[in-house]
């Protein structure tokens, strides 16, 4: 089992910045990939950014150049630094851990943190 606890969401003005944190209860060395997803009202959940155990990152086109995903292995924590925020970034952001287990691949999710960007 992996528990994920997100923090860092809030209300920010357009053009501002926020940093989200996701603390995992297990060593992130045991997790093949971690990522941030978001879900806006009436829309499907979408991948924002991900980082593999080897450090390879992937970003949605809508956030490239503005968001950065990083990991602190010593703290078992993944971060999402969001710059130049836009109202369309408003959503609940969820942390995800994707891990290979004896029974197969398994996904774990955090409880979500609200990000609201005002215009």
């Amino acid at each position: 089992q992996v528990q994920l606890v997100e923090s860092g969401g809030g209300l920010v003005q357009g053009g501002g910045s926020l940093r989200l944190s996701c603390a995992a209860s297990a060593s992130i060395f045991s997790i093949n990939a971690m990522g941030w997803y978001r879900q806006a009202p009436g829309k499907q959940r979408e991948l924002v950014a991900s980082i593999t155990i080897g450090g390879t990152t992937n970003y949605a086109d809508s956030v490239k150049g503005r968001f950065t995903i990083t990991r602190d292995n010593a703290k078992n924590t993944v971060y999402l630094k969001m710059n130049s925020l836009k109202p369309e970034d408003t959503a609940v952001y969820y942390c995800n851990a994707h891990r290979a287990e004896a029974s197969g691949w398994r996904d774990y999710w955090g409880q979500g943190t609200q990000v609201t960007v005002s215009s």
Side-chain angles (χ1 to χ4, degrees):
Q1 286 281 343
V2 180
Q3 292 182 330
L4 304 171
V5 178
E6 301 118 333
S7 60
L11 172 64
V12 65
Q13 210 165 11
S17 298
L18 283 175
R19 189 181 78 159
L20 305 183
S21 300
C22 173
S25 62
S27 169
I28 59 176
F29 282 116
S30 72
I31 300 171
N32 299 80
M34 294 191 71
W36 288 95
Y37 288 71
R38 67 186 180 187
Q39 188 166 20
K43 295 188 177 181
Q44 288 190 332
R45 191 173 296 192
E46 62 175 358
L47 175 67
V48 176
S50 64
I51 185 166
T52 68
I53 193 171
T56 300
T57 58
N58 182 48
Y59 296 93
D61 288 342
S62 60
V63 307
K64 282 181 182 176
R66 300 188 297 123
F67 292 11
T68 303
I69 187 170
T70 57
R71 56 194 290 164
D72 184 332
N73 296 329
K75 296 182 178 179
N76 293 328
T77 299
V78 173
Y79 303 98
L80 184 69
K81 182 66 188 300
M82 306 185 292
N83 296 325
S84 302
L85 282 161
K86 304 175 182 180
E88 50 263 46
D89 294 318
T90 295
V92 178
Y93 283 70
Y94 296 91
C95 181
N96 167 267
H98 188 62
R99 189 169 77 169
E101 300 182 351
S103 57
W105 289 100
R106 184 165 179 181
D107 283 293
Y108 296 91
W109 296 92
Q111 80 284 358
T113 185
Q114 177 72 46
V115 171
T116 303
V117 184
S118 64
S119 55

